[in-house]
């Protein structure tokens, strides 16, 4: 009897210990952690009139970078769409000040009048070309065209303002992506920059197989215009280690992925890009009116339709791209409004690289280079330098070393945002993180508060960057756009960006590093809050 009592007592003690260890202690631990580290990005903390911006995150909890490099947090098992939850977060619902007519790039009447003239010019051109083709016994493929004032590409152009190319919830953008994926192509031609090179190249010389990317301007049935960049290499092919960045192939999938990443980072500075299978015979050769373009088409020994660029560096058939036999993957990037109604200027990047095999720029040898830049116009005031740092973070994440210039709309002056154009040299090497791309951040030790908080959000398991990118890219018809090693590289590089900010904060202090940019809570009063610099 006594032995039975001892056995029963031992059993009860073991059960109670198991309950304590596996049930009660984890609950107590989660309660204590929750009370000690409350989230600083809730909707009630987004409006701080005294600081004119977002709430300052706690230094003890401002990043979840793991102690060891390469350690990736496991995703939270919350189910559902991570991308939808991300875009529903208060950080992605911060309103910009009310946009007046002077802060919009274009006015409706101005844009409609411009395109009515272009449509009339197109109709006259087609009439003359059809008559000439009939005389010359040339078959011309004619498509039914119609100018729609409510077309998605016109709405996209009208939505461009001082702060971004499009708003977060602009319905014209997803519709524009669908239109570029499906709408009939009525015309194909060289792009304006390649036309400008006509006569400037010498195809008798030995040339390197890159230079200007083989790209075409495609016009759609409703007069939308998109830049087509064909597939040059398979997704799982890494750029060779011995390649210089300026001789690397350009990749169509990098253009697509860059648009999605730019949207996820909430920059909205990359024009919409969609993937598409293009019939190079029916949708390029048969609809082009440019004899120079017709002349570069040929049929390969494998009976595939191919074409190559005539200028500047790739004027040889061995550098051609070929369909299979006619279908060819490519990216379609929506054109921005024409320069005659929306002028842009191209400005050399202060952190431009040397485009020679041996040269080095000053920023590569002078660790105090940013001190000089801060004294120079237009980087000595306003947001221009902060926008450069945003761009460097974006380029580091995609691995783009080829940002020699950036463009801005002249209407918005010095405070306009930077356009993140031409990202086809990104996503070349997933196994290497080129830290020199982050030089603007690491040398200047400045970052916008809104940028930092969104980066912190994307490192959290419930919003992990690779997961939301994978989900976003799955909407493109050419999926998968990126291989898994490239998606994992995004998480790894994001950790390194946050570590670079941490190092700056340890050295200079949070007030010197984190700058309050203009932001306003959606839950706050409808008044314009101008950002003030913390420097």
């Amino acid at each position: 009897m006594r032995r039975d009592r001892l056995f029963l007592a031992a059993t009860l003690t073991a059960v109670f210990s198991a309950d304590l260890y596996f049930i009660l202690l984890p609950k107590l631990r989660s309660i204590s952690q929750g009370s000690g580290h409350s989230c600083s990005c809730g909707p009630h903390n987004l409006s701080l009139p005294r600081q004119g911006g977002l709430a300052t995150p706690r230094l003890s909890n401002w990043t979840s970078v793991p102690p060891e490099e390469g350690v990736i947090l496991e995703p939270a098992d919350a189910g559902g769409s991570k991308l939808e939850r991300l875009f529903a977060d208060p950080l992605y619902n911060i309103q910009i000040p009310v946009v007046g007519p002077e802060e919009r790039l274009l006015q409706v009447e101005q844009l409609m009048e411009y395109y009515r003239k272009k449509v009339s010019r197109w109709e006259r051109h087609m009439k003359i070309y059809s008559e000439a083709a009939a005389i010359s016994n040339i078959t011309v493929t004619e498509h039914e065209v119609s100018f729609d004032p409510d077309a998605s590409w016109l709405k996209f152009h009208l939505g461009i303002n001082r702060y971004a190319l499009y708003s977060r919830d602009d319905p014209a953008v997803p519709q524009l992506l669908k239109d570029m994926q499906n709408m009939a192509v009525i015309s194909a031609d060289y792009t304006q920059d390649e036309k400008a090179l006509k006569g400037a190249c010498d195809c008798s010389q030995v040339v390197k197989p890159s230079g200007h990317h083989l790209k075409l301007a495609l016009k759609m049935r409703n007069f939308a215009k998109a830049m087509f960049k064909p597939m040059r290499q398979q997704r799982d092919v890494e750029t060779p280690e011995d390649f210089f960045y300026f001789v690397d192939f350009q990749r169509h999938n990098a253009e697509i992925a860059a648009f999605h990443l730019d949207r996820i980072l909430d920059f909205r500075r990359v024009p919409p890009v969609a993937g598409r299978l293009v019939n190079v015979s029916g949708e390029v050769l048969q609809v082009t009116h440019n004899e120079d373009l017709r002349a570069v088409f040929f049929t390969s020994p494998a009976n595939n339709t191919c074409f190559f660029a005539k200028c500047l560096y790739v004027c040889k058939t061995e550098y051609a791209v070929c369909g299979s036999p006619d279908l060819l993957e490519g990216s379609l990037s929506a054109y921005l409004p024409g320069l005659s109604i929306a002028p842009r200027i191209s400005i050399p990047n202060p952190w431009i690289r040397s485009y020679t095999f041996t040269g080095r720029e000053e920023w590569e040898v002078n660790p105090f280079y940013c001190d000089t830049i801060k004294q120079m116009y237009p980087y000595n005031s306003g947001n221009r330098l902060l926008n450069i740092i945003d761009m460097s973070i974006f380029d580091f994440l995609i691995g783009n070393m080829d940002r020699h210039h950036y463009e801005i709309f002249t209407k918005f002056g010095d405070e306009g945002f930077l356009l993140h154009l031409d990202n086809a040299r990104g996503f070349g090497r997933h196994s290497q993180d080129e830290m020199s791309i982050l030089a603007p951040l690491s040398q200047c030790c400045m970052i916008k508060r809104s940028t930092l908080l969104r980066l912190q959000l994307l490192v959290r398991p419930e919003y992990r960057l690779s997961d939301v990118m994978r989900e976003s890219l799955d909407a493109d018809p050419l999926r998968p756009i990126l291989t898994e090693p490239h998606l994992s590289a995004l998480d790894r590089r994001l950790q390194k960006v946050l570590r670079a900010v941490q190092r700056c904060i340890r050295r200079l202090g949070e007030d010197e590093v984190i700058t309050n940019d203009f932001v306003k809570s959606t839950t706050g009063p409808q008044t314009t809050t101008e950002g003030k610099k913390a420097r």
Side-chain angles (χ1 to χ4, degrees):
M1 193 72 177
R2 188 174 181 182
R3 185 178 301 169
D4 292 339
R5 288 179 180 175
L6 288 173
F7 178 78
L8 179 61
T11 302
L12 291 175
T13 302
V15 170
F16 177 77
S17 300
D19 286 344
L20 179 64
Y21 184 82
F22 290 106
I23 298 176
L24 295 178
L25 283 180
K27 288 185 177 180
L28 292 172
R29 191 179 298 116
S30 63
I31 292 173
S32 63
Q33 288 177 347
S35 61
H37 301 283
S38 58
C39 177
S40 61
C41 52
H44 300 294
N45 286 333
L46 281 176
S47 182
L48 289 180
R50 180 175 57 84
Q51 293 183 336
L54 297 175
T56 303
R58 296 167 60 95
L59 277 179
S60 60
N61 194 37
W62 74 267
T63 180
S64 55
V65 178
E68 294 182 2
E69 197 170 294
V71 177
I72 303 298
L73 295 173
E74 289 301 316
D77 188 16
S81 168
K82 287 190 175 185
L83 193 64
E84 289 179 4
R85 291 201 300 273
L86 177 72
F87 288 156
D89 190 273
L91 287 175
Y92 286 80
N93 290 277
I94 300 168
Q95 294 178 354
I96 63 173
V98 176
V99 177
E102 71 284 353
E103 293 180 307
R104 295 189 180 277
L105 181 65
L106 298 168
Q107 304 305 312
V108 177
E109 299 79 7
Q110 174 192 17
L111 185 64
M112 293 304 168
E113 180 62 23
Y114 172 79
Y115 276 106
R116 285 192 190 99
K117 292 179 180 178
K118 296 211 46 150
V119 170
S120 298
R121 192 181 309 123
W122 165 263
E123 292 173 345
R124 290 195 304 270
H125 171 78
M126 285 303 299
K127 183 179 179 180
I128 295 171
Y129 186 83
S130 298
E131 292 173 353
I135 295 173
S136 303
N137 235 359
I138 298 175
T139 302
V140 178
T141 303
E142 294 189 15
H143 290 278
E144 181 182 351
V145 296
S146 60
F147 177 70
D148 180 9
D150 294 322
S152 58
W153 61 277
L154 286 173
K155 291 182 177 178
F156 162 59
H157 287 179
L158 289 172
I160 300 173
N161 59 54
R162 175 181 296 278
Y163 307 108
L165 284 175
Y166 55 91
S167 62
R168 298 181 184 94
D169 55 354
D170 187 352
V173 172
Q175 184 58 50
L176 178 56
L177 295 175
K178 292 179 182 178
D179 289 345
M180 290 193 294
Q181 292 163 7
N182 303 308
M183 192 165 287
V185 178
I186 64 169
S187 174
D189 202 352
Y190 284 121
T191 58
Q192 288 299 321
D193 56 348
E194 292 199 349
K195 285 183 178 180
L197 293 169
K198 186 175 181 181
C201 59
D202 181 0
C203 289
S204 66
Q205 301 298 312
V206 177
V207 292
K208 58 180 182 285
S210 60
H212 272 66
H213 190 46
L214 204 169
K215 54 192 177 185
L216 300 173
L218 303 185
K219 189 171 291 184
M220 308 295 173
R221 188 181 61 205
N222 65 353
F223 291 96
K225 198 173 179 183
M227 182 181 293
F228 173 67
K229 294 188 177 182
M231 181 175 73
R232 301 298 301 269
Q233 65 182 44
Q234 298 297 323
R235 290 158 175 71
D236 57 350
V237 176
E238 271 204 281
T239 300
E241 292 183 5
D242 291 330
F243 267 36
F244 285 88
Y245 48 88
F246 50 82
V247 298
D248 188 14
F249 274 124
Q250 300 197 19
R251 289 163 284 275
H252 72 300
N253 61 314
E255 289 282 10
I256 300 169
F259 161 68
H260 286 261
L261 178 63
D262 175 82
R263 186 172 68 111
I264 286 171
L265 294 174
D266 202 42
F267 291 154
R268 291 169 284 129
R269 299 164 196 169
V270 175
V273 184
R276 176 166 173 164
L277 274 174
V278 172
N279 186 312
V280 292
S281 294
E283 296 180 303
V284 179
L285 178 58
Q286 293 179 14
V287 299
T288 183
H289 308 137
N290 187 320
E291 294 304 317
D292 286 338
L293 179 55
R294 283 180 173 274
V296 299
F297 275 81
F298 65 96
T299 301
S300 73
N303 208 33
N304 293 324
T305 302
C306 310
F307 64 103
F308 59 93
K310 207 166 187 178
C311 287
L312 180 60
Y313 302 115
V314 283
C315 46
K316 294 186 178 181
T317 56
E318 57 264 44
Y319 303 139
V321 294
C322 300
S324 180
D326 296 296
L327 293 179
L328 177 63
E329 274 192 24
S331 63
L332 285 180
S333 305
Y335 262 72
L336 294 172
L339 295 176
S340 59
I341 58 169
R344 307 191 304 269
I345 57 173
S346 179
I347 303 172
N349 185 352
W351 279 266
I352 190 172
R353 295 178 180 274
S354 170
Y355 280 75
T356 66
F357 294 113
T358 57
R360 300 190 74 184
E361 296 293 328
E362 183 184 350
W363 65 267
E364 297 179 272
V365 296
N366 178 9
F368 304 105
Y369 174 76
C370 188
D371 293 338
T372 302
I373 294 298
K374 288 177 182 178
Q375 306 303 317
M376 298 170 54
Y377 172 83
Y379 307 106
N380 55 356
S381 64
N383 287 323
R384 182 69 64 85
L385 186 54
L386 289 165
N387 287 336
I388 291 281
I389 292 169
D390 278 351
M391 185 173 65
S392 73
I393 293 171
F394 172 73
D395 282 337
F396 175 71
L397 291 174
I398 69 175
N400 178 28
M401 300 173 65
D402 194 36
R403 189 73 66 186
H404 45 80
H405 286 74
Y406 63 87
E407 293 188 27
I408 61 171
F409 290 109
T410 56
K411 179 176 180 178
F412 302 138
D414 293 340
E415 291 304 304
F417 62 91
L418 312 187
L419 291 163
H420 296 171
L421 304 177
D422 197 7
N423 304 296
R425 283 205 168 106
F427 297 103
R429 296 191 63 195
H430 56 73
S431 58
Q432 177 181 348
D433 303 331
E434 183 55 57
M435 297 304 297
S436 64
I437 303 175
L438 274 184
L441 171 64
S442 58
Q443 291 181 356
C444 298
C445 273
M446 297 168 58
I447 190 170
K448 293 179 184 176
R449 186 177 299 278
S450 61
T451 297
L452 176 59
L453 290 180
R454 290 188 184 103
L455 295 178
Q456 293 166 3
L457 204 63
L458 290 166
V459 82
R460 289 166 52 178
E462 60 267 36
Y463 300 119
R464 187 161 56 179
L465 179 56
S466 60
D467 293 335
V468 292
M469 269 291 285
R470 185 184 300 105
E471 182 181 343
S472 184
L473 291 171
D474 277 346
D476 192 272
L478 299 185
R479 61 188 179 274
I481 303 301
L482 294 178
T483 61
E484 285 300 315
H486 278 296
L487 291 170
S488 298
L490 286 173
D491 293 328
R492 184 180 69 241
R493 291 167 184 165
L494 177 56
Q495 306 271 356
K496 293 184 177 181
V497 173
L498 292 176
R499 288 193 185 96
V501 178
Q502 274 186 322
R503 286 192 292 270
C504 287
I505 289 178
R506 288 195 209 101
R507 184 159 58 90
L508 301 174
E510 183 180 359
D511 291 340
E512 279 293 305
V513 174
I514 304 176
T515 300
N516 290 329
D517 48 333
F518 81 91
V519 283
K520 181 177 60 176
S521 169
T522 53
T523 60
Q526 298 298 313
T527 58
T528 299
T529 303
E530 293 296 334
K532 69 175 183 177
K533 297 191 69 179
R535 301 184 69 78

